């Protein structure tokens, strides 16, 4: 087992004043890392699935995943990442060229009970959080390389 340390740093000086900062998060007990560079096409496809047991390649135990990072390696096109939970709630994120997106799991329960999405603003609440079941991706106008790192206990 190992510890994963993630350091997030912003560095900006505006009008002579420093506004940056650094945040450090450590994840203990990591015993599995999956690092992939995937070619994402303009046809949406599933890039990772999650449940209570590993069923095949690209499949992860939701309760064990603590950290996921996506980086769009393309210089021009964006990628849409769509996250779905067991209630078929979906959240779509635009990941523009050169940008990264981090999804942290719950400190104790990984990707179980981590998000809720609804069209009704009054209905979204932590009482209805669902477990991540899959992640889909598609590129805007041309294929893009997506780097994906998943760390699990």
């Amino acid at each position: 087992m190992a510890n994963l340390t993630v350091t997030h740093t912003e560095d900006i000086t505006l009008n002579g004043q420093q506004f940056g900062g650094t945040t450090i998060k450590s994840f203990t007990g990591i015993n599995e890392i999956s690092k992939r560079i995937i070619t994402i096409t303009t046809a949406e496809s599933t890039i990772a699935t999650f449940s209570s047991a590993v069923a095949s390649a690209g499949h992860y135990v939701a309760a064990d995943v603590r950290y996921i990072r996506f980086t769009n390696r393309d210089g021009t096109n964006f990628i849409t990442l769509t996250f779905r939970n067991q209630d078929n709630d979906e959240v779509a994120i635009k990941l523009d060229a050169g940008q990264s997106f981090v999804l942290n799991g719950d400190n104790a329960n990984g990707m179980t009970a981590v998000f809720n999405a609804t069209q009704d603003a009054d209905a979204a609440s932590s009482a209805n959080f669902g477990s991540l079941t899959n992640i889909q991706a598609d590129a805007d106008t041309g294929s893009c390389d997506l780097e994906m790192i998943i760390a699990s206990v």
Side-chain angles (χ1 to χ4, degrees):
M1 287 191 256
N3 294 337
L4 168 65
T5 301
V6 176
T7 304
H8 186 108
T9 301
E10 295 103 12
D11 183 20
I12 183 169
T13 302
L14 185 61
N15 297 326
Q17 186 173 358
Q18 175 60 249
F19 288 95
T22 299
T23 303
I24 299 171
K25 172 68 176 164
S26 292
F27 301 89
T28 59
I30 300 298
N31 64 20
E32 182 179 312
I33 288 285
S34 172
K35 181 176 180 179
R36 301 170 54 198
I37 296 178
I38 310 160
T39 300
I40 305 300
T41 67
T42 56
E44 186 176 64
S45 62
T46 300
I47 59 171
T49 56
F50 304 84
S51 67
S52 61
V54 173
S56 61
H59 195 101
Y60 304 88
V61 176
D64 293 346
V65 175
R66 296 297 186 265
Y67 174 85
I68 306 174
R69 176 182 54 83
F70 305 92
T71 299
N72 181 349
R73 310 301 282 177
D74 196 77
T76 306
N77 297 306
F78 70 83
I79 295 171
T80 301
L81 296 171
T82 303
F83 303 89
R84 180 178 292 129
N85 70 15
Q86 86 272 359
D87 297 323
N88 281 328
D89 295 333
E90 290 186 345
V91 174
I93 304 292
K94 179 181 180 179
L95 187 62
D96 216 345
Q99 293 183 347
S100 294
F101 178 78
V102 172
L103 180 62
N104 291 307
D106 179 83
N107 287 333
N109 300 306
M111 294 296 165
T112 59
V114 290
F115 82 89
N116 181 16
T118 179
Q119 292 181 0
D120 180 3
D122 294 331
S125 74
S126 60
N128 297 320
F129 280 162
S131 298
L132 185 64
T133 57
N134 69 59
I135 302 169
Q136 297 178 334
D138 63 289
D140 175 34
T141 57
S143 294
C144 301
D145 284 341
L146 176 70
E147 182 176 279
M148 179 174 70
I149 295 178
I150 299 179
S152 303
V153 296

